[in-house]
Amino acid sequence: MDQQQLSQVESLCETLYTGAASTSESGEPITRAEAQSRLLSLQSSADYIPQCQYILDHSSSHYARLVAANSLTELITTHWNNFTVPQRIDIRNYILGYLANQGPNLQDFVVVSLIKLVCRITKLGWFDDKTHRELADDVTKFLQATVDHCILGLRILNQLVDELNIPTTGRTLTQHRKTSVSFRDTNLFKVFQLGLTTLKQLQTRAIVADPRQEAVLGEQALSLVVRCLNFDFIGTNPDESTEDVGTIQAPTSWRNVLQDPATIELLFEFYANTEPPRSSKSMEAVILLCSVRRSLFPTDKDRAEFLGRLMTGIRELLKNQTGLQHQDNYHQFCRLLGRLKANYQLSELVKAEGYLEWLDLCSSFTVQSIRNWQYSTNSIHYLLALWGRLVAAVPYVRPETGARGHVQALEKQVITVVEAYVDSMLGSVETVLQSDGALDDPLDDDGSLKEQLDRLPVICRFQYGPIASFILSKFDPLLATYRELANLLGTSATTSAPSDVQQRAAIVEGQLTWLTYMVGTIVGGHSWSSAHMGDGDETIDANLSRRALQLSQGIEYRLTSSNGVGRADPKLEMALLYYFQNFRRVYMFMWDQISGAGSVGGSVSMVGMMAAKLDSAPSTKQKVYQRMFEHLGMGDHTAVANLIVTKVGNNLKFWPEEEDIVGKTLELLLDMAGGYSSSKLLLTLDTVKFLARHHTEDQFPFLAVPGNVRQRTTFHATLTRLLLSPGGEDKLGLSFAQFIEPLVTVLTQLGALSPTDLRSEQARRPLIGLFRDLRGVASSLHNRRTYSMLFDILHPQHLPLFAKVADLWHDQPDVVISLLRFMQEFCHNKANRVNFDQSSANGILLFRATSDVVCAYGRRLLATPPPTGGEMELYKKRYKGIGIALNVLNSALGGNYVCFGVFSLYNDPALDNALDVSLQMVLSVPLDDVMSYPKMSKAYYAFIEIVFRSHKKTVFALETNVFMQLMNAIHEGLQASDATLSSLCANTIDHIATYYFVNSGKDKPEVHNMNKHLTAQPNLFTSLTATLFNLLLFGAPQNHWAVMRPMLSLMLASESSFTSYKEHLLSTQTPENQALLNEAFAKLLSDVNRSLDSSNRDRFTQKLTAFRVTARGFLTL
């Protein structure tokens, strides 16, 4: 590289990173994309390493240095085996020297990239030479030089720990763990000590630095301590996305430092004397120290002393409120409190000195945090977790253990905490309203609300009596006030009332929303295991539930009497649905057991009599269940279930435009219909009978709202599921034909329309609704009998309508997608439901109808030019439809209910037409677009796989250029990062190679056609073999199993392609490597027969795995 080329690279870098104009050799302007592709060529070959070094040495552009550093990292990682050990050490020393000389003057992003490069070389060469394993010692020189060099040294160590802790793409987990364990055993502790030493020097002012440097040093040193403690010591690959820390499995050699009182004091002191982010990092380090494994401590006394120091530090912080005014510190401190009980048993905590004081301070802190909820919404659940863990452990601790009266103290504090929580959340309603939008409503933060509600049941049930009484003392006055307001408002809408009444109603409804959520989660926390079932808890559940159900009744009465005008706040409706879900889960699973006690109509079956003898006395669960409903005072379980289902019906009737309410309501109904006992109970209710008979837009306006089209499918799926459950038709007094009659009426009306009228806007909504409803019905047909019922209704009168709609509405995604999704469900042979009699032609007729729909849609689509208007428009109007149409055909072709040979035998063009149109659709999509849209690409490759598996005659008969277009797509898909796609493509190659190997030399049209393609493209098998072996040797590990499958069949189909790949690979290697590679190939081929039976395939697959591991150890690219 010379100065002119360097200027060119700098110019391209400026264009890429800043958008500055630059021109090519011909004088044309270069775009950012072009600049990026030119610069990426630096990463294409190991020959560019000298150019990258030249850029680093001679360029003054920071962006050029960044590109050079990134390119070097990529080249070193990809072409690692191309370098000798001395070359690797030279590159490492060159970069370290460059950092030492230039580092303090470089831009931050260049430094990061160079440090990453050094650490990558260290990791990859860890076992090559001891020089690599001495990086921590080399960095010590940085720490002893200037302050800026010290910062640089800490950054190198931080990156080194990360690099050795996180697996690198392209290397096996075994290789990673081997390196990681060696680093852990030889260097990690040294690195950890360097971090702590730097912190001590900062604390004692041994390092002379300005405030900015001090802050950066502190941050880097603390990050290093945190990274070392967070290291994956035992190879568990912890989940990075979770905030909760697991147990820290620190080695025994770390014991003295971790146990040393000075370590934890240093971190607490650093926390107290610094500002975020340093102080919050200190607290993070304390959390990790607190999580160290218990077996690290030689005796229980040592562990108790460590815990004592930890609790003393926490007590001091709580007393002085040190640093808790900062959001980051506060959040980390809440995490520490939540973590403390997770790692220490309550029996250990109560023995610690000052436990009662600690408990009192924690209670005060929690109460204060809850009262200031607007600043601590995301942290409250950690504090609730602490109290939940404390109370859950009480049964396992003897009352006389540790501090006297600790159980009574905990009982008292828990009541204080819960009362503060209830009061604060109720108070938040008015605060949010008065803030006029300045404050976020905690009820709108679903994530945080769920976290808090999940923690409440355990805490509240610890002192269930007093806490329930407190909640009732809040609920009853609010319920009375709400009734007064309802009487005042009458049948008019809340929004038409005077502003002061509206304000009062909003506050009361908001507070009732909170209480309903709380009651829902507490009742939902009822445990049916005998160990946790508190005596009399069910009566408290009943008292709380009565209020929620009375509230629901009040809201219902106002809603129905005003015909949907007097509606409550949508949030309150959502809270009631949450309560019903919890109540359903806990108290609606034993209906059949209780009801079965009395015989119906005086007839008792033999089985019933035997069951009654065996189980004459009700079980404890049944007694609890019965007591619950007796205390509830709202009737038996049937009456309560009727109340819930009536609420469901009214929600669907009066909240049509509220998609969230409709969605949650239908989810509740679906869950009730899905339960064995609750579904039986539903069949006895009048409301469900009404729903089953009147599932039309006239009765339920939500079906007419365009935003609810998805809910139509759920609604009909649920009703069909209930109707077709055992005894469903008898109990509902309705046959399947009667249930589906409203849909058949619409089908008949639409079928009678002329093409012009069928394409009119008036038909749009009925068509979308109809297909959505039919899809819901079809999705609940799970056996041959029920599927045949729907098929007999649709065939022969109504099936032709579907193809007509596909033809007329092909350009309107909302209509045609609804149709295609229904067809996909209707053709899907799940649970072998599409299974007609031997003498029936229904399978063929079903395929014909499917073919007509796909052909009608496909032909019109192919005749229409692709839409303009961006990628979203292209996907919505074209590719989404193609993807679903292919899925429809995939379901039909792979359903195993059609004998496809019949079509050619009787000259029926349905199959040929469907395959022809589908292949045209497949070929009309550019390969780049196929890979850009994941949903479509899965359908695309699934179709290609099924065609090559079952319809070789059609696909081999294609023109060679068309056939090769498909093969190029397979070749591309084989290399996709998505394992599903590469598996489909590998299977396709296996079908081709297996067929060719088994039938080669036979006089068959398929073989002649295949030979014709191979004559035109003699390197077809060679390129596939090369790609498969390259993926095996150099590709990502998730694709290996898929890639291995076709290798044997391909090698047997074309031995010359395997030989040529082997020779090519050998020619790229050094003489020593050639000998090793020949040996590896010899082992691979030993004991492998020329057959494709499963045992031979499995043996060869195992050998391929061993071959890959061996070859990757020495191969150079």
Side-chain angles (χ1 to χ4, degrees):
M1 181 176 273
D2 55 26
Q3 197 58 42
Q4 186 185 350
Q5 288 171 315
L6 179 62
S7 304
Q8 210 173 358
V9 169
E10 288 176 343
S11 170
L12 288 170
C13 291
E14 288 294 326
T15 303
L16 177 61
Y17 288 106
T18 65
S22 64
T23 53
S24 63
E25 296 82 351
S26 58
E28 291 179 16
I30 293 176
T31 63
R32 270 188 164 172
E34 285 175 66
Q36 184 178 21
S37 86
R38 287 192 182 198
L39 290 169
L40 279 174
S41 65
L42 283 171
Q43 300 180 9
S44 60
S45 163
D47 299 339
Y48 286 110
I49 286 179
Q51 281 90 319
C52 293
Q53 289 181 327
Y54 185 89
I55 294 168
L56 284 173
D57 286 335
H58 297 91
S59 177
S60 56
S61 163
H62 294 301
Y63 297 122
R65 286 170 170 170
L66 174 64
V67 166
N70 285 343
S71 300
L72 274 173
T73 306
E74 190 59 37
L75 289 169
I76 294 287
T77 307
T78 313
H79 303 278
W80 179 252
N81 287 336
N82 288 22
F83 305 102
T84 62
V85 173
Q87 283 175 320
R88 294 166 184 171
I89 293 171
D90 287 346
I91 297 171
R92 166 197 180 274
N93 292 341
Y94 165 75
I95 300 295
L96 269 178
Y98 189 85
L99 278 169
N101 298 325
Q102 306 278 348
N105 308 319
L106 291 173
Q107 282 282 356
D108 205 44
F109 51 81
V110 181
V111 173
V112 168
S113 189
L114 288 167
I115 288 173
K116 187 177 178 186
L117 172 56
V118 171
C119 296
R120 179 64 53 83
I121 293 170
T122 303
K123 178 178 184 171
L124 297 177
W126 189 259
F127 294 109
D128 289 352
D129 190 278
K130 65 174 186 155
T131 311
H132 292 296
R133 298 192 290 277
E134 290 168 355
L135 181 62
D137 296 328
D138 294 343
V139 170
T140 312
K141 296 168 189 168
F142 280 79
L143 301 180
Q144 291 162 354
T146 65
V147 175
D148 285 335
H149 280 92
C150 187
I151 292 170
L152 209 53
L154 289 171
R155 290 177 72 171
I156 293 172
L157 292 175
N158 269 299
Q159 180 60 38
L160 180 65
V161 176
D162 263 358
E163 187 68 47
L164 272 295
N165 194 31
I166 299 166
T168 306
T169 310
R171 280 168 68 83
T172 64
L173 201 57
T174 311
Q175 289 171 313
H176 165 70
R177 281 307 304 162
K178 194 177 170 187
T179 314
S180 184
V181 166
S182 172
F183 173 72
R184 177 199 72 192
D185 294 343
T186 57
N187 281 44
L188 186 60
F189 185 48
K190 197 186 302 175
V191 172
F192 178 60
Q193 285 179 305
L194 285 172
L196 285 176
T197 307
T198 309
L199 286 178
K200 284 174 192 163
Q201 288 174 332
L202 282 169
Q203 188 194 25
T204 57
R205 302 280 175 191
I207 297 176
V208 181
D210 61 45
R212 184 197 66 80
Q213 290 174 324
E214 252 187 49
V216 176
L217 272 174
E219 202 176 326
Q220 289 296 330
L222 283 163
S223 290
L224 187 57
V225 169
V226 167
R227 276 188 170 88
C228 290
L229 288 170
N230 249 332
F231 195 81
D232 185 9
F233 292 101
I234 56 169
T236 51
N237 295 316
D239 182 6
E240 291 284 328
S241 62
T242 176
E243 265 202 315
D244 198 22
V245 183
T247 304
I248 304 300
Q249 302 287 347
T252 311
S253 56
W254 293 39
R255 178 188 290 157
N256 292 339
V257 173
L258 297 181
Q259 225 179 300
D260 186 354
T263 305
I264 202 159
E265 282 167 20
L266 174 69
L267 293 170
F268 271 128
E269 211 166 303
F270 222 84
Y271 168 82
N273 298 327
T274 56
E275 298 284 305
R278 283 169 292 160
S279 52
S280 55
K281 272 283 177 208
S282 307
M283 190 50 69
E284 204 177 329
V286 173
I287 294 170
L288 292 165
L289 267 185
C290 156
S291 305
V292 168
R293 63 186 171 98
R294 74 181 294 126
S295 51
L296 185 77
F297 301 94
T299 64
D300 285 346
K301 186 184 171 195
D302 292 312
R303 184 171 158 87
E305 285 173 4
F306 182 78
L307 175 62
R309 289 193 288 275
L310 200 56
M311 288 181 71
T312 304
I314 293 172
R315 285 206 313 274
E316 290 304 313
L317 283 182
L318 285 170
K319 278 183 198 167
N320 306 323
Q321 297 285 297
T322 316
L324 295 177
Q325 70 276 20
H326 296 294
Q327 184 73 38
D328 289 351
N329 292 356
Y330 171 81
H331 182 69
Q332 293 295 352
F333 185 67
C334 290
R335 282 186 67 205
L336 172 63
L337 288 177
R339 185 65 209 153
L340 190 67
K341 172 58 193 73
N343 204 43
Y344 290 90
Q345 293 175 3
L346 183 59
S347 56
E348 294 172 301
L349 292 173
V350 296
K351 289 177 191 168
E353 189 186 333
Y355 165 74
L356 292 178
E357 185 191 1
W358 174 84
L359 192 68
D360 195 39
L361 287 165
C362 281
S363 168
S364 307
F365 176 69
T366 307
V367 168
Q368 184 187 348
S369 299
I370 290 169
R371 284 183 182 149
N372 295 306
W373 55 267
Q374 53 268 58
Y375 308 110
S376 59
T377 316
N378 293 328
S379 310
I380 287 175
H381 68 272
Y382 287 116
L383 299 173
L384 293 177
L386 167 68
W387 292 101
R389 285 168 178 155
L390 285 172
V391 301
V394 168
Y396 307 104
V397 180
R398 292 178 180 170
E400 65 272 14
T401 306
R404 185 179 295 171
H406 65 84
V407 177
Q408 291 76 9
L410 186 57
E411 289 170 355
K412 178 184 153 203
Q413 304 299 0
V414 162
I415 293 172
T416 309
V417 166
V418 174
E419 286 180 358
Y421 181 77
V422 174
D423 280 334
S424 294
M425 295 305 110
L426 296 184
S428 72
V429 176
E430 198 166 349
T431 312
V432 169
L433 279 172
Q434 287 171 352
S435 74
D436 204 20
L439 280 176
D440 291 333
D441 189 344
L443 286 169
D444 292 335
D445 185 351
D446 288 340
S448 192
L449 179 65
K450 185 180 181 304
E451 287 272 17
Q452 291 173 29
L453 293 175
D454 286 349
R455 311 284 185 196
L456 273 184
V458 179
I459 305 171
C460 294
R461 284 181 174 273
F462 179 61
Q463 283 293 289
Y464 201 11
I467 287 171
S469 301
F470 180 75
I471 291 174
L472 292 177
S473 72
K474 299 286 178 185
F475 213 133
D476 288 338
L478 282 170
L479 207 49
T481 310
Y482 194 54
R483 285 189 186 123
E484 287 171 24
L485 283 167
N487 291 333
L488 189 65
L489 292 164
T491 56
S492 58
T494 311
T495 47
S496 62
S499 58
D500 62 320
V501 176
Q502 280 189 45
Q503 180 89 350
R504 273 179 66 205
I507 292 169
V508 172
E509 284 184 338
Q511 292 177 336
L512 284 170
T513 302
W514 271 111
L515 288 172
T516 308
Y517 270 125
M518 289 174 195
V519 168
T521 195
I522 295 167
V523 170
H526 180 96
S527 171
W528 285 99
S529 71
S530 52
H532 295 99
M533 198 154 53
D535 193 25
D537 278 5
E538 71 283 353
T539 59
I540 304 175
D541 283 350
N543 285 333
L544 290 172
S545 292
R546 189 184 316 129
R547 271 55 174 199
L549 293 169
Q550 284 172 345
L551 172 63
S552 175
Q553 281 180 320
I555 291 171
E556 283 296 279
Y557 177 74
R558 183 174 168 225
L559 191 64
T560 48
S561 60
S562 64
N563 201 26
V565 176
R567 301 197 298 191
D569 186 343
K571 286 178 195 166
L572 181 51
E573 292 285 4
M574 292 293 279
L576 281 168
L577 288 168
Y578 176 81
Y579 163 75
F580 289 144
Q581 270 288 20
N582 281 293
F583 183 83
R584 170 201 69 77
R585 202 177 65 251
V586 174
Y587 284 114
M588 285 188 71
F589 70 95
M590 216 184 283
W591 175 81
D592 51 328
Q593 295 174 37
I594 304 293
S595 310
S599 59
V600 181
S603 65
V604 182
S605 70
M606 183 60 70
V607 177
M609 285 170 67
M610 286 171 68
K613 277 187 179 179
L614 287 170
D615 196 13
S616 52
S619 68
T620 310
K621 284 185 183 178
Q622 288 170 331
K623 286 178 186 170
V624 168
Y625 190 86
Q626 285 171 322
R627 277 205 302 272
M628 154 73 191
F629 283 99
E630 282 166 15
H631 278 85
L632 188 60
M634 308 280 291
D636 65 359
H637 40 225
T638 310
V640 175
N642 199 44
L643 192 153
I644 295 173
V645 176
T646 306
K647 177 74 187 148
V648 165
N650 285 330
N651 277 4
L652 297 177
K653 194 170 185 177
F654 296 121
W655 288 95
E657 72 293 339
E658 282 287 340
E659 291 172 31
D660 287 346
I661 291 178
V662 170
K664 284 288 181 191
T665 302
L666 286 171
E667 191 183 311
L668 171 65
L669 185 62
L670 180 63
D671 289 343
M672 288 174 81
Y676 175 74
S677 179
S678 54
S679 63
K680 284 185 170 183
L681 174 53
L682 288 184
L683 292 171
T684 64
L685 304 178
D686 292 338
T687 308
V688 173
K689 290 174 186 171
F690 182 84
L691 286 170
R693 288 176 183 279
H694 302 92
H695 49 97
T696 57
E697 293 178 10
D698 304 336
Q699 294 291 341
F700 295 102
F702 86 94
L703 294 167
V705 176
N708 287 327
V709 284
R710 288 186 176 183
Q711 310 301 352
R712 293 186 72 130
T713 307
T714 311
F715 184 54
H716 282 82
T718 308
L719 292 178
T720 309
R721 186 174 189 162
L722 282 169
L723 181 72
L724 298 177
S725 61
E729 289 176 302
D730 294 337
K731 287 177 184 170
L732 293 175
L734 189 71
S735 70
F736 181 73
Q738 289 169 317
F739 168 73
I740 210 169
E741 199 176 313
L743 304 183
V744 176
T745 307
V746 177
L747 271 170
T748 309
Q749 289 168 351
L750 290 167
L753 295 176
S754 67
T756 314
D757 291 339
L758 189 58
R759 182 61 173 87
S760 66
E761 276 303 309
Q762 284 74 25
R764 181 190 293 268
R765 271 208 321 101
L767 281 168
I768 295 171
L770 173 71
F771 294 132
R772 289 280 184 174
D773 297 350
L774 282 172
R775 182 182 165 201
V777 172
S779 69
S780 288
L781 308 176
H782 292 294
N783 56 43
R784 176 181 173 176
R785 179 184 69 84
T786 54
Y787 183 85
S788 299
M789 284 157 60
L790 178 63
F791 185 84
D792 291 341
I793 288 168
L794 294 180
H795 172 76
Q797 188 183 347
H798 303 297
L799 286 179
L801 172 68
F802 301 153
K804 240 190 326 185
V805 172
D807 182 61
L808 294 168
W809 287 90
H810 70 96
D811 57 339
Q812 297 298 312
D814 52 351
V815 178
V816 85
I817 296 297
S818 299
L819 165 64
L820 291 172
R821 284 206 189 281
F822 159 65
M823 288 303 296
Q824 186 183 347
E825 181 59 54
F826 190 51
C827 296
H828 183 28
N829 191 10
K830 60 184 177 190
N832 202 28
R833 62 181 184 172
V834 189
N835 185 359
F836 301 108
D837 291 332
Q838 277 188 325
S839 58
S840 167
N842 284 350
I844 292 165
L845 295 169
L846 173 58
F847 183 79
R848 256 196 208 160
T850 307
S851 169
D852 290 346
V853 171
V854 172
C855 291
Y857 172 68
R859 283 176 185 141
R860 293 301 297 267
L861 186 84
L862 291 165
T864 313
T868 53
E871 289 182 2
M872 280 306 293
E873 198 69 10
L874 184 64
Y875 177 71
K876 186 180 166 189
K877 291 198 171 172
R878 194 173 185 88
Y879 292 158
K880 187 176 183 180
I882 288 177
I884 301 172
L886 290 174
N887 272 331
V888 171
L889 207 55
N890 293 345
S891 291
L893 291 171
N896 210 22
Y897 49 81
V898 187
C899 174
F900 288 106
V902 169
F903 290 98
S904 59
L905 197 63
Y906 293 99
N907 296 321
D908 187 334
L911 175 63
D912 289 341
N913 289 346
L915 292 175
D916 181 46
V917 169
S918 302
L919 282 166
Q920 285 183 49
M921 284 197 287
V922 161
L923 295 166
S924 73
V925 184
L927 251 184
D928 287 348
D929 287 355
V930 173
M931 306 312 285
S932 300
Y933 299 101
K935 282 186 181 176
M936 184 184 69
S937 64
K938 284 188 174 65
Y940 179 99
Y941 283 111
F943 171 73
I944 290 177
E945 191 270 338
I946 209 165
V947 169
F948 274 95
R949 181 185 354 137
S950 308
H951 303 279
K952 297 181 185 72
K953 188 173 182 179
T954 303
V955 80
F956 287 172
L958 294 168
E959 291 294 320
T960 299
N961 62 334
V962 177
F963 181 81
M964 286 312 298
Q965 210 176 324
L966 287 177
M967 292 311 299
N968 286 338
I970 292 165
H971 200 252
E972 192 69 31
L974 191 61
Q975 300 166 74
S977 56
D978 186 330
T980 310
L981 298 188
S982 53
S983 300
L984 287 167
C985 293
N987 287 342
T988 307
I989 294 166
D990 189 43
H991 300 323
I992 299 168
T994 302
Y995 184 83
Y996 191 72
F997 171 67
V998 172
N999 295 285
S1000 185
K1002 294 181 182 175
D1003 186 17
K1004 290 185 176 182
E1006 294 94 325
V1007 178
H1008 297 317
N1009 285 326
M1010 190 65 203
N1011 284 329
K1012 184 183 74 175
H1013 299 318
L1014 287 172
T1015 308
Q1017 290 288 337
N1019 65 343
L1020 174 63
F1021 282 153
T1022 311
S1023 65
L1024 288 174
T1025 304
T1027 303
L1028 284 166
F1029 266 100
N1030 285 338
L1031 278 172
L1032 178 73
L1033 293 171
F1034 311 113
Q1038 69 263 26
N1039 290 3
H1040 290 155
W1041 187 252
V1043 161
M1044 289 175 192
R1045 178 155 182 77
M1047 279 185 162
L1048 181 61
S1049 51
L1050 200 55
M1051 284 166 63
L1052 294 175
S1054 172
E1055 289 185 32
S1056 59
S1057 62
F1058 170 67
T1059 310
S1060 65
Y1061 176 77
K1062 179 180 167 183
E1063 288 168 357
H1064 165 72
L1065 191 62
L1066 284 165
S1067 70
T1068 64
Q1069 303 300 306
T1070 59
E1072 308 92 77
N1073 281 3
Q1074 285 180 2
L1076 292 169
L1077 196 54
N1078 268 321
E1079 190 184 328
F1081 272 121
K1083 281 185 183 173
L1084 173 65
L1085 298 174
S1086 65
D1087 298 334
V1088 177
N1089 309 323
R1090 283 184 55 79
S1091 78
L1092 288 172
D1093 57 43
S1094 55
S1095 59
N1096 198 40
R1097 277 185 188 265
D1098 291 345
R1099 187 163 55 249
F1100 187 68
T1101 302
Q1102 288 169 356
K1103 286 175 170 292
L1104 276 171
T1105 307
F1107 172 74
R1108 176 180 183 274
V1109 173
T1110 307
R1112 280 178 69 104
F1114 60 79
L1115 274 183
T1116 60
L1117 282 173

